[in-house]
């Protein structure tokens, strides 16, 4: 049943990753957490393993989605790499913070964060593409790259849920371009977080077949399904209007956020 649960997580998160350009971490983290807690695994260990393994899964998953998007728009690669280089630094720092914060605090922060992003999307759903409020230069790239990377490492997400908002509302990118840039960014940022969770979990008694807080079993069985589904989700995203993408994105975020806060069973 545990393996079946991991496969289902891979299918759902992989499709969402390619469709929405968010890496899938906002689903991979809570779904792993719920699955491990249902197996009576220690909540503290479950939370850190869910965070670290989520970032490891995002590397192949986001590469799959980014590859598909790059075939339609090669201009997204350079902005994604520029942001991602700084994201690696922020993600490493965020992973170190997560290892010392209480589990309850992490869950509450994660839940509130998801609901906040969902509300923002609902409020702006009918707004046309925004004009750039700031220039996409080295200084702003460093600031946004590091800060979003910090959140990525702290919450075990690729950072796409925040980066897409920044790209569309502040830097003036179109939604479809933002999805592609986000996936390139996630490919790089997740690396910093993975290194951080391996380092902080080294020598700690976590799950069998783990490297630090990275579960090889969870990584393998989720990635096997998430990688091909990310490519498929990216295909679907090019057939849906930006408004519909935002609606799907927001509904999923509200549900997962409320579940993380314990409001939904």
């Amino acid at each position: 049943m545990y393996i079946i649960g991991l496969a289902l997580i891979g299918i759902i998160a992989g499709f969402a990753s390619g469709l929405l350009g968010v890496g899938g971490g906002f689903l991979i983290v809570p779904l792993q957490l719920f699955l491990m807690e249902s197996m009576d695994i220690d909540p503290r260990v479950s939370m850190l393993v869910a965070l670290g393994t989520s970032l490891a899964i995002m590397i192949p998953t986001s590469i799959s989605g980014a590859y598909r998007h790059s075939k339609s728009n090669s201009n997204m690669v350079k902005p994604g790499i520029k942001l991602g280089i700084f994201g690696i630094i922020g993600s490493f720092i965020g992973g170190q913070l997560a290892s010392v914060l209480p589990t309850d605090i992490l869950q509450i922060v994660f839940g509130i964060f998801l609901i906040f992003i969902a509300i923002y999307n609902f409020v702006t759903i009918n707004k046309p593409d925004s004009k750039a409020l700031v220039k996409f230069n080295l200084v702003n790239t460093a600031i946004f790259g590091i800060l979003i990377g910090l959140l990525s490492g702290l919450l075990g997400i690729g950072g796409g849920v925040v980066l897409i908002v920044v790209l569309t509302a502040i830097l003036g990118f179109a939604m479809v371009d933002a999805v592609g840039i986000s996936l390139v960014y996630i490919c790089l940022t997740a690396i910093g977080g993975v290194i951080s969770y391996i380092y902080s979990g080294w020598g700690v008694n976590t799950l069998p077949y783990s490297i630090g807080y990275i579960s090889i079993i969870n990584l393998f069985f989720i990635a096997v399904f998430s990688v091909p589904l990310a490519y498929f989700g990216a295909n679907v995203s090019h057939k849906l209007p930006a408004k519909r993408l935002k609606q799907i994105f927001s509904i999923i975020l509200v549900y997962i956020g409320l579940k993380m806060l314990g409001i939904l069973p």
Side-chain angles (χ1 to χ4, degrees):
M1 289 302 295
Y2 187 74
I3 300 301
I4 292 172
L6 293 175
L8 289 173
I9 293 172
I11 292 169
I12 296 168
F15 180 72
S17 172
L19 180 70
L20 305 170
V22 292
F26 73 103
L27 288 172
I28 295 173
V29 171
L31 293 179
Q32 274 191 107
L33 181 62
F34 302 149
L35 179 62
M36 286 187 282
E37 288 186 343
S38 73
M39 305 295 291
D40 294 324
I41 298 172
D42 178 64
R44 175 65 180 172
V45 172
S46 296
M47 188 68 194
L48 291 173
V49 169
L51 293 171
T53 306
S54 170
L55 288 168
I57 293 163
M58 276 179 232
I59 297 173
T61 303
S62 56
I63 288 173
S64 175
Y67 173 72
R68 169 60 186 87
H69 281 284
S70 67
K71 291 172 70 175
S72 300
N73 181 10
S74 60
N75 293 328
M76 61 171 221
V77 177
K78 285 186 179 179
I81 290 175
K82 289 178 181 178
L83 285 160
I85 290 171
F86 292 104
I88 292 173
I89 300 169
S91 185
F92 182 86
I93 297 170
Q96 293 301 295
L97 287 175
S99 67
V100 298
L101 289 176
T103 304
D104 291 345
I105 297 298
L106 287 172
Q107 285 192 235
I108 292 170
V109 170
F110 197 107
I112 292 173
F113 166 72
L114 293 182
I115 293 171
F116 172 79
I117 296 296
I119 292 171
Y120 175 84
N121 275 336
F122 276 125
V123 170
T124 61
I125 206 159
N126 290 315
K127 288 179 66 176
D129 292 338
S130 303
K131 293 183 179 180
L133 300 179
V134 298
K135 292 182 178 180
F136 189 69
N137 54 28
L138 181 61
V139 173
N140 290 325
T141 300
I143 292 171
F144 290 125
I146 291 173
L147 289 179
I148 297 171
L150 181 71
L151 205 59
S152 169
L154 180 64
L155 301 178
I157 58 175
V161 285
V162 180
L163 183 58
I164 286 178
V165 173
V166 170
L167 288 170
T168 55
I170 299 176
L171 296 174
F173 286 90
M175 181 66 178
V176 173
D177 293 336
V179 168
I181 293 169
S182 173
L183 285 168
V184 175
Y185 173 82
I186 291 165
C187 298
L188 295 171
T189 302
I191 294 171
V194 168
I195 294 171
S196 185
Y197 280 96
I198 290 175
Y199 175 76
S200 61
W202 197 263
V204 177
N205 185 22
T206 57
L207 299 183
Y209 308 106
S210 294
I211 303 174
Y213 287 117
I214 313 296
S215 168
I216 302 302
I217 293 175
N218 289 21
L219 169 60
F220 175 79
F221 283 102
I222 294 176
V224 161
F225 292 92
S226 67
V227 171
L229 265 295
Y231 189 90
F232 176 66
N235 272 328
V236 174
S237 75
H238 284 272
K239 300 175 183 178
L240 290 176
K243 181 178 178 179
R244 188 66 63 202
L245 285 175
K246 280 190 174 184
Q247 288 173 336
I248 296 170
F249 189 28
S250 300
I251 291 169
I252 294 173
L253 288 178
V254 168
Y255 175 77
I256 297 296
L258 292 175
K259 198 166 178 64
M260 290 293 286
L261 291 172
I263 296 173
L264 292 178

